[in-house]
Amino acid sequence: MALARDRLDTAAQEIGAETIEAARRRLDANLPVRRKLPASGRLHVDRQLPFLCIYRRPAAGRVPGASRLVTGLASYLVTSGEATLARSVSRLVGSVAETLTSPFGKFLLLEVWPGRSQKAPGFRLVAPPGEELQPLVDFFRSELARVKVVDRRVPVEVTQAKRPAPPGMTPLLSASRIAAIGCSLVGLEIPPLYVDETTGRTYPEVLRKLRRALTIALQRVFHRFSCEYTTRCPVNHHMLGRRAVVKAVWQVDEQLSLVDERFDFLLQVTPSNSATAWETFRERRFERVPKFRYRPLPFDPVRLKRQLWSIPVERVEDATLYDLFRQKQDELDRQITLLLDIETHSFVHGAAQIFGQVDDALLAQAHALLERCPESKTDDTSGGSVDATAFAARARAELAYYRKQWAGVDATVQVRGDIARGLMVSKGSLIIGEGTQIASDRVEALLQHEIGTHVVTYYNGKAQPLRQLSSGLAGYDPMQEGFAVLAEHLVGGLTPGRLQLLAARVVSVQAMLQGASFVEAFRQLTGTHGF
């Protein structure tokens, strides 16, 4: 009975013939393959690609996180290195290689494994002897030499073996099978520099950075292999990256968006009493800091942060998407903290963490603009102006133009008394301060800034499957505002007065970052720069 039970367990550990055949059929039809395998294994092949990266977990002495070094690639196999699985893994690998050699004429199998000790010299590239792959091996060596771990480059050693394999494991394919298929087998040993050798614990950030750098290096190697050894040459290595988006991506994207939708960051940091605060400031001869009022937070910050950090970003395999989601998670966390810090000294430091500092070149350019046209500190309204109501009518007409192109543009235009004079776009809708007056020759420029750029970008993002493209990736503001000001220039509306205003904002922010008070920043603008 014990012997029979052992045989059943062994059979259960094998990759079934039906799984191998199903994968072959899908690859033959250029369809993605994503199959769970015995012993927590997985085969993922986005589409027909000229390579497969393989990681076999050792039965003993496992290195935590090692499988993540290959899961960012578009074609990988993670499986167990148990002897009971060896034959079926060999059949699966042979079937994939044979199927994909046909459309490409050549196929590359790359098996990776972690080194046993951090005292190892570094990467060890194991290639078959002979001249055929030597150009690729040389390129592979140079790409690995560019990889940095903990701010230092890792040495690369190249050795030869007819059939590379991890220590203690049999090679994936026999020599006759490799020759019959017409594929190449290369091995790569990766030093476990992301593991504490004493405790065995993983350094997650070191692993993440190594994974990211290694993914790029391997994609470049696969691109070189494709161009020099197969019948196809993609335009660049990015075209060999992942296209298939797994379920975890959509789940994380949705959960991040739900947190983002819980608050309107721009409105929360905008005072609700700007008009009355200005009047009070003027009555007090511009010598006392006005008292601003802000909208109450519409969320419990503790619960919202708990919701934010429970989002399993680590389940996203693609290294680029992981980085984008992780950066957004961090930005949302900092925004929530910043809203709690309103009217405290911590606010300035928190804002600088999110939006960055003013660099020297930008500050010099701002001062140059302020000095060049001292007489043009505001837009000239002598040629006429439009008030908030009239501008709102123009804005609604502009939105109607975009709505004809896509009915999903359901943006609203609001004239509100609880924001300062001026314009802002929040969550895809245009908000106009009640007392706003706009020079007639600036109307078209501001329509293209606010609607033609900010609103259109928001709804273009909403039309995409990934919700982050509407809410905005972390750090997107500089590019957004750059495009918006460029739009003003393209319609001939970037006036000297507008340039002066943009420059003044840079100077005021720099003064604030250096510790200037509200009154001191005001005096700099009015006394030094003539506003």
Side-chain angles (χ1 to χ4, degrees):
M1 286 293 292
L3 181 59
R5 193 159 48 245
D6 288 346
R7 286 176 178 169
L8 286 173
D9 291 344
T10 300
Q13 286 293 306
E14 292 186 347
I15 301 171
E18 66 282 358
T19 298
I20 297 173
E21 177 58 23
R24 187 200 63 77
R25 287 198 304 269
R26 290 188 65 82
L27 291 175
D28 198 43
N30 200 16
L31 296 173
V33 174
R34 187 172 176 83
R35 298 295 296 263
K36 290 183 178 180
L37 303 175
S40 301
R42 174 169 287 131
L43 173 66
H44 176 99
V45 185
D46 260 15
R47 58 199 182 278
Q48 288 183 348
L49 290 164
F51 65 90
L52 178 68
C53 194
I54 301 148
Y55 172 71
R56 289 187 281 175
R57 289 188 302 270
R62 293 187 180 185
V63 178
S67 63
R68 292 183 62 81
L69 294 171
V70 303
T71 54
L73 298 167
S75 178
Y76 72 82
L77 168 65
V78 172
T79 185
S80 170
E82 293 278 0
T84 54
L85 262 175
R87 284 189 299 177
S88 58
V89 168
S90 178
R91 287 195 296 267
L92 174 63
V93 171
S95 176
V96 171
E98 188 173 37
T99 303
L100 293 178
T101 298
S102 179
F104 294 99
K106 194 73 174 174
F107 191 78
L108 179 63
L109 292 169
L110 173 66
E111 181 162 22
V112 305
W113 59 87
R116 293 295 183 181
S117 171
Q118 292 187 5
K119 297 176 183 178
F123 292 111
R124 188 167 69 92
L125 184 59
V126 188
E131 298 296 323
E132 182 185 8
L133 283 184
Q134 194 57 48
L136 182 69
V137 171
D138 293 340
F139 181 76
F140 206 154
R141 187 214 303 257
S142 67
E143 288 300 311
L144 291 173
R146 296 169 60 182
V147 173
K148 283 186 177 182
V149 180
V150 197
D151 295 327
R152 66 183 179 88
R153 299 196 186 279
V154 182
V156 184
E157 176 189 1
V158 178
T159 61
Q160 291 185 342
K162 290 183 178 180
R163 293 184 299 149
M169 297 186 196
T170 58
L172 284 164
L173 298 176
S174 66
S176 59
R177 186 79 169 118
I178 291 174
I181 294 172
C183 64
S184 298
L185 177 60
V186 175
L188 175 63
E189 183 175 286
I190 302 171
L193 300 175
Y194 51 90
V195 177
D196 185 311
E197 198 164 21
T198 303
T199 65
R201 293 180 178 176
T202 301
Y203 301 124
E205 280 300 293
V206 178
L207 174 59
R208 182 185 67 82
K209 291 176 181 178
L210 174 60
R211 178 176 181 249
R212 173 74 170 156
L214 192 60
T215 296
I216 294 172
L218 293 182
Q219 284 183 353
R220 288 173 58 84
V221 169
F222 296 144
H223 178 255
R224 177 63 65 93
F225 174 80
S226 185
C227 289
E228 294 190 0
Y229 295 87
T230 80
T231 57
R232 303 183 191 179
C233 184
V235 174
N236 57 54
H237 68 277
H238 296 294
M239 297 191 69
L240 293 177
R242 294 178 66 137
R243 293 181 190 171
V245 179
V246 299
K247 189 176 181 180
V249 169
W250 303 121
Q251 292 173 338
V252 169
D253 178 53
E254 180 180 10
Q255 291 174 48
L256 284 172
S257 295
L258 290 175
V259 173
D260 187 67
E261 291 166 3
R262 288 291 304 277
F263 62 95
D264 191 322
F265 181 77
L266 195 56
L267 273 180
Q268 291 294 153
V269 297
T270 301
S272 60
N273 67 327
S274 297
T276 56
W278 167 253
E279 293 301 327
T280 303
F281 186 49
R282 184 165 58 181
E283 289 169 5
R284 294 174 176 176
R285 298 182 179 181
F286 312 114
E287 293 180 351
R288 292 176 59 185
V289 178
K291 179 64 178 177
F292 291 110
R293 292 197 302 270
Y294 295 89
R295 297 161 181 82
L297 294 181
F299 59 85
D300 181 328
V302 173
R303 290 184 176 180
L304 193 58
K305 283 203 173 193
R306 185 183 299 124
Q307 179 183 343
L308 174 65
W309 287 109
S310 67
I311 299 172
V313 174
E314 69 281 357
R315 290 177 52 206
V316 175
E317 294 179 351
D318 183 274
T320 300
L321 287 176
Y322 171 85
D323 283 347
L324 292 177
F325 288 144
R326 179 64 184 81
Q327 290 164 14
K328 185 64 176 182
Q329 195 175 37
D330 180 70
E331 183 181 71
L332 287 170
D333 176 64
R334 292 179 187 273
Q335 286 181 346
I336 295 168
T337 299
L338 192 63
L339 295 180
L340 291 172
D341 289 339
I342 287 177
E343 296 187 289
T344 73
H345 292 295
S346 299
F347 184 88
V348 172
H349 305 295
Q353 287 179 343
I354 297 175
F355 301 105
Q357 304 277 347
V358 176
D359 62 61
D360 293 340
L362 179 61
L363 184 63
Q365 192 173 49
H367 280 298
L369 283 170
L370 289 172
E371 294 166 3
R372 184 169 299 174
C373 304
E375 73 283 357
S376 302
K377 297 300 181 185
T378 57
D379 282 320
D380 184 9
T381 58
S382 60
S385 64
V386 298
D387 61 12
T389 302
F391 187 82
R394 290 287 305 274
R396 291 187 181 102
E398 188 76 5
L399 286 173
Y401 165 76
Y402 287 108
R403 199 170 292 118
K404 287 179 181 178
Q405 299 180 62
W406 188 50
V409 179
D410 56 359
T412 60
V413 178
Q414 307 169 34
V415 177
R416 295 171 56 159
D418 63 343
I419 69 166
R421 297 175 182 178
L423 313 168
M424 72 168 67
V425 170
S426 183
K427 304 295 184 184
S429 290
L430 177 64
I431 302 174
I432 307 170
E434 197 173 51
T436 299
Q437 290 286 332
I438 298 172
S440 298
D441 62 355
R442 286 278 300 146
V443 170
E444 181 63 23
L446 289 177
L447 286 173
Q448 297 313 316
H449 180 118
E450 305 295 348
I451 295 178
T453 304
H454 295 324
V455 172
V456 167
T457 300
Y458 176 83
Y459 281 97
N460 182 42
K462 283 194 72 173
Q464 313 307 321
L466 205 64
R467 294 175 66 174
Q468 297 308 303
L469 296 178
S470 61
S471 60
L473 300 175
Y476 79 104
D477 299 88
M479 179 173 286
Q480 269 280 296
E481 291 303 326
F483 279 140
V485 172
L486 175 62
E488 294 183 45
H489 166 69
L490 292 175
V491 296
L494 195 57
T495 62
R498 173 63 166 167
L499 284 171
Q500 296 273 320
L501 177 60
L502 296 176
R505 290 175 179 172
V506 172
V507 170
S508 294
V509 167
Q510 175 67 358
M512 178 189 68
L513 290 171
Q514 292 180 337
S517 67
F518 183 94
V519 173
E520 289 169 339
F522 177 82
R523 288 173 179 168
Q524 182 183 32
L525 288 176
T526 55
T528 305
H529 298 295
F531 278 86

